[in-house]
Amino acid sequence: MTYPISIPTIVGMTTVLRYAAFTLDPAGGNPAGVVLDARGLDDQAMQAIAAEIGYSETAFVIDRSVRYFSPKAEVPFCGHATVATAVALAERNGPGEFVFSTPAGVVPVTVDDGLRATLTSVEPSVEPAGDLTDVLDILGWKPTDLDPDLPARIAYAGARHLVLSTATRQRLADLDYDFDRLLAYMLERDLTTLQLVWQESPTVFHVRDPFPVGGVVEDPATGAAAAAFGAYLRELGLGQPTITLHQGDDLGRPSLITVELSDEDNRVRVSGNAVPITTPA
């Protein structure tokens, strides 16, 4: 089979590929930069490349290790850039399993013949969220805006995310927050994103992810948060074998993320497509 190849961008002497993850449309999903050979790049160089590319994350492959940089800082794990990296490798080497060593731990990724990637998270965990007064004020939300059936938690599956669930789709659509205040709040608590959620059904959710710690107002698709959310649902006894997350709709970049939970494995599987961006976005 012949696979489409991303047209590279050259930053200095480094070749950077561009992909849209969790979509089949290059204009949808979450764009990611991918550097398939980052040997010889130090932290400062990787950070500078990620800042110039300007996507929420760029992945840097060093042999079998992968590191992730936002425009502002390194992050321990990024789901959409992992999916993009695995698809980029599958385009060149054929489908199969890739095992990435990340700062968060070992992450296996399988890519099928249709270039759909499934990553398996590191061991997840869920903890109490604590007092929500400050974060609700930053978001402009009231306690009555929350869904009592989905209580706030901090969930981890490679990175830490505060899960907050809204009672209405309109509350989710009207997202408008104080960037600097949320940045300070998240840095103090070592949070990567907020996972803001509205439940359409037991297996379908709409989500939004503010990402000020990466210098990004909002992520159009967040695989790491999707994995953490799967762990969150299981912790609450609300897990289903397959869960669908819709993200990016309110940004005009629709994304579709599949989350799978198993009784035999506490880890969470997250699946989605990735397609090359053939012109710089």
Side-chain angles (χ1 to χ4, degrees):
M1 179 182 291
T2 300
Y3 298 104
I5 300 295
S6 171
I7 295 176
T9 298
I10 306 300
V11 180
M13 299 293 291
T14 302
T15 300
V16 184
L17 307 174
R18 299 169 184 255
Y19 286 81
F22 295 114
T23 183
L24 289 168
D25 180 1
N30 197 356
V34 178
V35 177
L36 291 179
D37 185 1
R39 291 174 298 177
L41 296 177
D42 60 16
D43 291 13
Q44 185 177 6
M46 287 187 276
Q47 185 63 75
I49 290 168
E52 181 163 341
I53 294 299
Y55 292 157
S56 57
E57 273 97 3
T58 295
F60 295 85
V61 182
I62 306 168
D63 297 321
R64 296 188 179 184
S65 297
V66 183
R67 295 175 66 182
Y68 310 93
F69 284 79
S70 77
K72 292 292 186 182
E74 184 174 10
V75 297
F77 178 66
C78 172
H80 85 277
T82 297
V83 166
T85 299
V87 168
L89 290 169
E91 287 177 344
R92 288 152 180 80
N93 304 317
E97 185 174 33
F98 304 91
V99 180
F100 297 149
S101 176
T102 79
V106 175
V107 177
V109 189
T110 301
V111 183
D112 65 21
D113 289 338
L115 295 182
R116 181 176 175 83
T118 299
L119 67 86
T120 300
S121 77
V122 299
E123 190 71 17
S125 62
V126 180
E127 63 187 76
D131 184 75
L132 301 177
T133 302
D134 288 344
V135 70
L136 292 180
D137 184 61
I138 292 167
L139 292 170
W141 291 11
K142 300 176 181 178
T144 54
D145 290 324
L146 299 176
D147 183 346
D149 294 329
L150 296 171
R153 296 286 189 274
I154 293 174
Y156 170 88
R160 286 163 53 86
H161 308 267
L162 173 60
V163 181
L164 293 174
S165 298
T166 71
T168 67
R169 180 66 179 90
Q170 187 60 45
R171 176 69 277 179
L172 190 67
D174 290 340
L175 179 63
D176 182 18
Y177 69 90
D178 186 314
F179 186 94
D180 291 336
R181 287 184 65 201
L182 187 58
L183 171 61
Y185 177 92
M186 294 174 69
L187 288 174
E188 184 178 327
R189 292 160 179 80
D190 190 29
L191 298 173
T192 299
T193 74
L194 300 189
Q195 176 84 328
L196 308 179
V197 179
W198 175 72
Q199 182 177 21
E200 179 179 323
S201 75
T203 59
V204 178
F205 296 82
H206 296 254
V207 301
R208 301 185 72 171
D209 282 71
F211 185 35
V213 297
V216 177
V217 172
E218 184 178 348
D219 229 5
T222 317
F229 184 63
Y232 162 89
L233 289 176
R234 179 162 48 201
E235 178 75 10
L236 294 181
L238 300 175
Q240 301 287 334
T242 302
I243 300 155
T244 300
L245 304 184
H246 295 274
Q247 190 174 345
D249 291 342
D250 298 290
L251 296 176
R253 296 194 68 98
S255 305
L256 193 63
I257 306 172
T258 301
V259 175
E260 296 174 272
L261 301 175
S262 168
D263 292 335
E264 287 75 39
D265 189 345
N266 197 43
R267 297 174 300 172
V268 181
R269 287 171 176 77
V270 175
S271 301
N273 295 90
V275 292
I277 298 172
T278 55
T279 56

